[in-house]
C-alpha cells in the first residue's frame, strides 16, 4: 500500500463520487478544563462556537504509470466547509496511515492540513486534530476510509476523473473562554454568536507569531475544483447561527427570571418583617 509522493496537473472533468453522501455530523467537544499551569480564562455561559469542517480524500488512477504497488495518487485532508482557514482553531493534524508506509504517523503542523501519497490499497486513516491552547485541551479523533476505486468497479477507470469521498462535520465548543472568542470573533471559518449589548471582550491575544503565519485557506487549492459542495451545508450554517441566537435569548430570559425571583423574594421578606 506504500510509496512516494508526486505532483501532477489534471484536466477538469466530473469527479467520480464514490458511495452515498455521508450524513452531516455535529461533534460537541468537552468544556475546557482549568489547571494550575494555565491562566484562568473567564468562560462564557450559554455560548457555543462552531467550526464547520470537511474531511476526506481525492484519488487519481495513474493509468499507464500504474504498477502493482502504485496504482493511485491520493490526497487526504481536513478543510474548512467553505474553504476558510482552519489554522485559527486547529494547531496541528496527525494522520495515521497503514503500517506498510514509511513513517506512517504524519504530523502536519500548519494548514492546509493534508498529505499526498501513492499506493494500491484502501484502508482506514485515523485523523487526530489538536487545537490551540485557548480553544480546547482535548484532541478530536476522526476516521476516514481511504477510497481509491469507484463504486462501479466493473466500469473503465479514468486518469481524468478522480474518486472523491468527503464527510461534513461541525465541531462545537461549548462555553468558550473570553480569550478564544475575542481572538476569533471576526474569523470567517467559525460560527460565532452575537454577544448581548454592552458585553466587552478582552483584547485579542494571538496564539502564534502573525509574521510567520502562512495563508491556510483552500480557496485556491489546486484540487479545489474537485471538492464537493454539500447541498445542506449552507442550511446547516444558518441553523447553527439561529440556534446560537435562541441560546442567547434563553440566557437573557434566565437572567431576567432570576432578577424577578430575587425581587419577589425581597418583597416576601419585607412583608414578613412587617
Amino acid at each position: 500500500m506504500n510509496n512516494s509522493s508526486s505532483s501532477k496537473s489534471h484536466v477538469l472533468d466530473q469527479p467520480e463520487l464514490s458511495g452515498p453522501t455521508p450524513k452531516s455530523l455535529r461533534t460537541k467537544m468537552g468544556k475546557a478544563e482549568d489547571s494550575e499551569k494555565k491562566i484562568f480564562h473567564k468562560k462564557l455561559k450559554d455560548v457555543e462556537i462552531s467550526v464547520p469542517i470537511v474531511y476526506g480524500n481525492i484519488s487519481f488512477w495513474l493509468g499507464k504509470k500504474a504498477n502493482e504497488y502504485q496504482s493511485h495518487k491520493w490526497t487526504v485532508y481536513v478543510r474548512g466547509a467553505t474553504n476558510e482557514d482552519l489554522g485559527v482553531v486547529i494547531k496541528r493534524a496527525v494522520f495515521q496511515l497503514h503500517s506498510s508506509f514509511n513513517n506512517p504517523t504524519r504530523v502536519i503542523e500548519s494548514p492546509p492540513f493534508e498529505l499526498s501519497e501513492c499506493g494500491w490499497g484502501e484502508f482506514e486513516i485515523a485523523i487526530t486534530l489538536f487545537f490551540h491552547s485557548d480553544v480546547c485541551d482535548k484532541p478530536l479523533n476522526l476516521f476516514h476510509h481511504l477510497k481509491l476505486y469507484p463504486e462501479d468497479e466493473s466500469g473503465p477507470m479514468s486518469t481524468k476523473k478522480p474518486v472523491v469521498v468527503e464527510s461534513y462535520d461541525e465541531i462545537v465548543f461549548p462555553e468558550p473562554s473570553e480569550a478564544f472568542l475575542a481572538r476569533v470573533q471576526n474569523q470567517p471559518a467559525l460560527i460565532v454568536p452575537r454577544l448581548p449589548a454592552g458585553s466587552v471582550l478582552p483584547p485579542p491575544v494571538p496564539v502564534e507569531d502573525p509574521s510567520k503565519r502562512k495563508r491556510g485557506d483552500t480557496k485556491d487549492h489546486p484540487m479545489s475544483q474537485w471538492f464537493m459542495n454539500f447541498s445542506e451545508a449552507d442550511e446547516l450554517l444558518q441553523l447553527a447561527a439561529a440556534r446560537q441566537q435562541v441560546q442567547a435569548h434563553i440566557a437573557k430570559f434566565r437572567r431576567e427570571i432570576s432578577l424577578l425571583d430575587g425581587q419577589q423574594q425581597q418583597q416576601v421578606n419585607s412583608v414578613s418583617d412587617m
Side-chain angles (χ1 to χ4, degrees), residues 85-153:
D85 187 355
L86 292 179
V88 296
V89 176
I90 300 174
K91 184 177 182 179
R92 74 173 66 89
V94 178
F95 296 84
Q96 186 64 46
L97 306 182
H98 190 271
S99 58
S100 61
F101 283 85
N102 292 326
N103 184 26
T105 302
R106 308 290 177 88
V107 180
I108 309 300
E109 296 283 359
S110 61
F113 299 106
E114 64 180 28
L115 67 88
S116 296
E117 271 289 357
C118 286
W120 59 268
E122 299 179 348
F123 57 93
E124 185 176 68
I125 299 176
I127 307 171
T128 305
L129 303 180
F130 294 86
F131 304 100
H132 290 295
S133 58
D134 62 350
V135 178
C136 185
D137 296 329
K138 299 178 180 179
L140 173 63
N141 295 313
L142 304 172
F143 297 92
H144 173 70
H145 186 81
L146 177 68
K147 191 71 175 175
L148 304 183
Y149 302 92
E151 287 296 304
D152 184 12
E153 296 185 3

Side-chain angles (χ1 to χ4, degrees), residues 242 244-256:
Q244 291 182 349
Q245 290 182 357
V246 170
Q247 290 175 338
H249 286 305
I250 291 174
K252 178 182 178 182
F253 291 147
R254 285 177 178 172
R255 290 192 294 269
E256 292 177 350

Side-chain angles (χ1 to χ4, degrees), residues 13-17 58-61 158-164 226:
D13 204 339
Q14 293 298 315
E16 181 73 35
L17 304 182
I58 296 177
S59 62
F60 283 91
W61 179 51
S158 170
T159 58
K160 298 180 180 180
K161 294 176 61 176
V163 171
V164 181
W226 308 115

Side-chain angles (χ1 to χ4, degrees), residues 251-270:
K252 178 182 178 182
F253 291 147
R254 285 177 178 172
R255 290 192 294 269
E256 292 177 350
I257 291 172
S258 178
L259 180 61
L260 290 173
D261 288 343
Q263 293 175 347
Q264 290 177 354
Q265 186 62 42
Q266 290 179 353
Q267 292 176 356
V268 170
N269 294 337
S270 298

Side-chain angles (χ1 to χ4, degrees), residues 7-23:
S7 60
K8 181 180 180 182
S9 60
H10 302 280
V11 179
L12 179 62
D13 204 339
Q14 293 298 315
E16 181 73 35
L17 304 182
S18 181
T21 301
K23 294 182 179 180

